[in-house]
Amino acid sequence: MAAAPWVLVDAVNGRRFALRERWGEYTLAIAPDDDPDLNPWGAPTESATITVASGTDDDLYGGTPPDYSKTATFIAATVRTYLRRQACTHPHNYGDRYCPACGWPLVDEAQP
């Protein structure tokens, strides 16, 4: 745990996101498919935001002080990977990097 709780709110490829880190754990939520401009941070409870990642702060940065460029890359790659998987309508498994039917890349290049 590097610092006090923090939140990042912005957009990637037109989809709003909110990342909240607290006590060494984080959650990355994005706006729902039908309202991509909804800010997940502070959204009304009835809004169906989508959690696309959660885990420990080891995923987000390394060392002290934290390297937030790793966090920004992680957020962008995770949101873009979600959007790529949504764009391809063929059936595919979670671990597939490419769609077996059309070859569409399902994982963002920056995703480990």
Side-chain angles (χ1 to χ4, degrees):
M1 178 170 45
W6 49 274
V7 175
L8 294 174
V9 179
D10 207 340
V12 172
N13 288 53
R15 183 68 66 104
R16 298 288 307 250
F17 73 84
L19 180 132
R20 180 178 193 245
E21 189 277 342
R22 181 177 180 203
W23 299 109
E25 296 185 0
Y26 72 90
T27 302
L28 175 58
I30 62 172
D33 297 336
D34 60 346
D35 190 4
D37 200 38
L38 175 75
N39 183 351
W41 182 249
T45 355
E46 64 273 6
S47 301
T49 60
I50 302 164
T51 299
V52 293
S54 61
T56 66
D57 58 9
D58 293 333
D59 298 339
L60 303 178
Y61 47 77
T64 304
D67 177 7
Y68 292 111
S69 64
K70 181 178 176 185
T71 304
T73 301
F74 173 81
I75 291 169
T78 302
V79 173
R80 288 179 182 149
T81 294
Y82 172 84
L83 296 174
R84 285 173 182 251
R85 291 183 176 281
Q86 292 298 104
C88 180
T89 58
H90 299 111
H92 46 268
N93 297 316
Y94 176 75
D96 292 344
R97 292 191 69 81
Y98 296 93
C99 173
C102 67
W104 177 261
L106 299 172
V107 177
D108 187 74
E109 299 84 19
Q111 191 78 19

Short mmCIF file of all heavy atoms in Angstrom, two decimals, residues 38-65:
data_model
loop_
_atom_site.label_atom_id
_atom_site.label_comp_id
_atom_site.label_asym_id
_atom_site.label_seq_id
_atom_site.Cartn_x
_atom_site.Cartn_y
_atom_site.Cartn_z
N LEU A 38 -21.86 7.92 -18.79
CA LEU A 38 -22.17 7.96 -17.36
C LEU A 38 -20.89 7.83 -16.55
O LEU A 38 -20.07 6.94 -16.81
CB LEU A 38 -23.12 6.81 -16.99
CG LEU A 38 -23.42 6.67 -15.51
CD1 LEU A 38 -24.39 7.76 -15.07
CD2 LEU A 38 -23.99 5.30 -15.22
N ASN A 39 -20.70 8.71 -15.58
CA ASN A 39 -19.53 8.65 -14.72
C ASN A 39 -19.79 7.60 -13.64
O ASN A 39 -20.66 7.78 -12.80
CB ASN A 39 -19.28 10.01 -14.09
CG ASN A 39 -18.04 10.04 -13.24
OD1 ASN A 39 -17.43 9.02 -12.96
ND2 ASN A 39 -17.67 11.23 -12.80
N PRO A 40 -19.05 6.48 -13.64
CA PRO A 40 -19.28 5.43 -12.65
C PRO A 40 -19.02 5.88 -11.20
O PRO A 40 -19.59 5.33 -10.28
CB PRO A 40 -18.29 4.32 -13.02
CG PRO A 40 -17.95 4.57 -14.44
CD PRO A 40 -18.04 6.06 -14.62
N TRP A 41 -18.15 6.87 -11.03
CA TRP A 41 -17.87 7.36 -9.69
C TRP A 41 -19.01 8.27 -9.26
O TRP A 41 -19.23 9.32 -9.82
CB TRP A 41 -16.55 8.12 -9.65
CG TRP A 41 -16.19 8.59 -8.28
CD1 TRP A 41 -16.15 9.89 -7.85
CD2 TRP A 41 -15.82 7.78 -7.16
NE1 TRP A 41 -15.78 9.93 -6.54
CE2 TRP A 41 -15.58 8.64 -6.09
CE3 TRP A 41 -15.69 6.41 -6.97
CZ2 TRP A 41 -15.19 8.19 -4.83
CZ3 TRP A 41 -15.30 5.96 -5.73
CH2 TRP A 41 -15.06 6.84 -4.67
N GLY A 42 -19.75 7.85 -8.28
CA GLY A 42 -20.88 8.63 -7.79
C GLY A 42 -22.15 8.44 -8.61
O GLY A 42 -23.10 9.19 -8.46
N ALA A 43 -22.17 7.44 -9.48
CA ALA A 43 -23.38 7.16 -10.27
C ALA A 43 -24.50 6.70 -9.35
O ALA A 43 -24.23 6.08 -8.31
CB ALA A 43 -23.09 6.09 -11.32
N PRO A 44 -25.73 6.98 -9.72
CA PRO A 44 -26.85 6.50 -8.89
C PRO A 44 -26.81 4.98 -8.74
O PRO A 44 -26.36 4.27 -9.63
CB PRO A 44 -28.09 6.93 -9.69
CG PRO A 44 -27.61 7.95 -10.66
CD PRO A 44 -26.16 7.70 -10.89
N THR A 45 -27.29 4.51 -7.61
CA THR A 45 -27.23 3.07 -7.32
C THR A 45 -27.96 2.23 -8.35
O THR A 45 -27.56 1.11 -8.62
CB THR A 45 -27.85 2.77 -5.94
OG1 THR A 45 -28.20 3.95 -5.26
CG2 THR A 45 -26.90 1.96 -5.09
N GLU A 46 -29.00 2.76 -8.94
CA GLU A 46 -29.75 2.00 -9.94
C GLU A 46 -29.01 1.89 -11.28
O GLU A 46 -29.39 1.11 -12.14
CB GLU A 46 -31.15 2.58 -10.16
CG GLU A 46 -31.17 3.98 -10.73
CD GLU A 46 -31.09 5.10 -9.70
OE1 GLU A 46 -30.90 4.83 -8.51
OE2 GLU A 46 -31.19 6.26 -10.13
N SER A 47 -27.95 2.64 -11.46
CA SER A 47 -27.15 2.56 -12.68
C SER A 47 -26.33 1.27 -12.66
O SER A 47 -25.66 0.96 -11.68
CB SER A 47 -26.19 3.74 -12.79
OG SER A 47 -26.91 4.94 -12.80
N ALA A 48 -26.38 0.55 -13.76
CA ALA A 48 -25.66 -0.73 -13.84
C ALA A 48 -24.27 -0.51 -14.40
O ALA A 48 -24.02 -0.74 -15.58
CB ALA A 48 -26.45 -1.70 -14.70
N THR A 49 -23.34 -0.05 -13.57
CA THR A 49 -21.96 0.07 -14.03
C THR A 49 -21.37 -1.34 -14.15
O THR A 49 -21.89 -2.29 -13.58
CB THR A 49 -21.11 0.91 -13.06
OG1 THR A 49 -21.11 0.31 -11.79
CG2 THR A 49 -21.65 2.34 -12.97
N ILE A 50 -20.29 -1.46 -14.88
CA ILE A 50 -19.68 -2.76 -15.16
C ILE A 50 -18.29 -2.80 -14.53
O ILE A 50 -17.44 -1.98 -14.86
CB ILE A 50 -19.58 -2.99 -16.68
CG1 ILE A 50 -20.96 -2.91 -17.32
CG2 ILE A 50 -18.91 -4.33 -16.98
CD1 ILE A 50 -20.92 -2.74 -18.84
N THR A 51 -18.06 -3.74 -13.63
CA THR A 51 -16.74 -3.93 -13.05
C THR A 51 -15.93 -4.78 -14.02
O THR A 51 -16.29 -5.92 -14.30
CB THR A 51 -16.82 -4.61 -11.67
OG1 THR A 51 -17.57 -3.77 -10.79
CG2 THR A 51 -15.44 -4.85 -11.09
N VAL A 52 -14.86 -4.21 -14.56
CA VAL A 52 -14.04 -4.92 -15.54
C VAL A 52 -12.75 -5.47 -14.94
O VAL A 52 -12.10 -6.31 -15.57
CB VAL A 52 -13.73 -4.05 -16.79
CG1 VAL A 52 -15.00 -3.79 -17.57
CG2 VAL A 52 -13.06 -2.75 -16.41
N ALA A 53 -12.37 -5.02 -13.76
CA ALA A 53 -11.18 -5.54 -13.11
C ALA A 53 -11.21 -5.19 -11.62
O ALA A 53 -11.77 -4.17 -11.23
CB ALA A 53 -9.91 -4.97 -13.73
N SER A 54 -10.60 -6.05 -10.84
CA SER A 54 -10.39 -5.78 -9.42
C SER A 54 -9.21 -6.63 -8.98
O SER A 54 -8.88 -7.64 -9.60
CB SER A 54 -11.64 -6.10 -8.60
OG SER A 54 -11.96 -7.46 -8.71
N GLY A 55 -8.55 -6.18 -7.93
CA GLY A 55 -7.39 -6.92 -7.46
C GLY A 55 -6.58 -6.11 -6.46
O GLY A 55 -7.10 -5.21 -5.82
N THR A 56 -5.29 -6.41 -6.40
CA THR A 56 -4.42 -5.71 -5.46
C THR A 56 -3.62 -4.63 -6.19
O THR A 56 -3.48 -4.67 -7.41
CB THR A 56 -3.44 -6.67 -4.77
OG1 THR A 56 -2.54 -7.19 -5.74
CG2 THR A 56 -4.18 -7.80 -4.07
N ASP A 57 -3.09 -3.71 -5.41
CA ASP A 57 -2.36 -2.60 -6.03
C ASP A 57 -1.09 -3.04 -6.74
O ASP A 57 -0.49 -2.26 -7.47
CB ASP A 57 -2.07 -1.49 -5.02
CG ASP A 57 -1.29 -1.96 -3.81
OD1 ASP A 57 -0.80 -3.11 -3.81
OD2 ASP A 57 -1.17 -1.17 -2.86
N ASP A 58 -0.67 -4.30 -6.59
CA ASP A 58 0.47 -4.80 -7.36
C ASP A 58 0.18 -4.75 -8.87
O ASP A 58 1.10 -4.63 -9.67
CB ASP A 58 0.80 -6.24 -6.97
CG ASP A 58 1.32 -6.34 -5.55
OD1 ASP A 58 1.91 -5.36 -5.06
OD2 ASP A 58 1.13 -7.41 -4.94
N ASP A 59 -1.10 -4.85 -9.26
CA ASP A 59 -1.48 -4.75 -10.66
C ASP A 59 -1.30 -3.33 -11.19
O ASP A 59 -1.11 -3.13 -12.39
CB ASP A 59 -2.96 -5.11 -10.86
CG ASP A 59 -3.30 -6.52 -10.47
OD1 ASP A 59 -2.38 -7.36 -10.42
OD2 ASP A 59 -4.49 -6.79 -10.22
N LEU A 60 -1.37 -2.35 -10.31
CA LEU A 60 -1.44 -0.95 -10.72
C LEU A 60 -0.11 -0.23 -10.77
O LEU A 60 0.09 0.65 -11.59
CB LEU A 60 -2.37 -0.18 -9.77
CG LEU A 60 -3.79 -0.71 -9.65
CD1 LEU A 60 -4.55 0.12 -8.65
CD2 LEU A 60 -4.47 -0.71 -11.01
N TYR A 61 0.78 -0.53 -9.85
CA TYR A 61 2.06 0.17 -9.81
C TYR A 61 3.05 -0.64 -9.00
O TYR A 61 2.68 -1.58 -8.30
CB TYR A 61 1.93 1.57 -9.22
CG TYR A 61 1.14 1.64 -7.93
CD1 TYR A 61 1.69 1.25 -6.73
CD2 TYR A 61 -0.17 2.09 -7.93
CE1 TYR A 61 0.98 1.30 -5.57
CE2 TYR A 61 -0.89 2.14 -6.76
CZ TYR A 61 -0.32 1.76 -5.57
OH TYR A 61 -1.05 1.81 -4.41
N GLY A 62 4.29 -0.27 -9.11
CA GLY A 62 5.32 -0.95 -8.35
C GLY A 62 6.21 0.05 -7.67
O GLY A 62 6.52 1.09 -8.22
N GLY A 63 6.60 -0.28 -6.46
CA GLY A 63 7.57 0.57 -5.77
C GLY A 63 6.96 1.76 -5.08
O GLY A 63 5.77 2.02 -5.14
N THR A 64 7.83 2.48 -4.39
CA THR A 64 7.43 3.68 -3.69
C THR A 64 8.41 4.77 -4.08
O THR A 64 9.61 4.56 -3.95
CB THR A 64 7.47 3.47 -2.17
OG1 THR A 64 6.66 2.35 -1.86
CG2 THR A 64 6.97 4.68 -1.42
N PRO A 65 8.02 5.88 -4.58
CA PRO A 65 6.62 6.25 -4.82
C PRO A 65 6.03 5.46 -6.00
O PRO A 65 6.76 4.95 -6.84
CB PRO A 65 6.70 7.75 -5.15
CG PRO A 65 8.07 7.93 -5.71
CD PRO A 65 8.95 6.92 -5.00
#
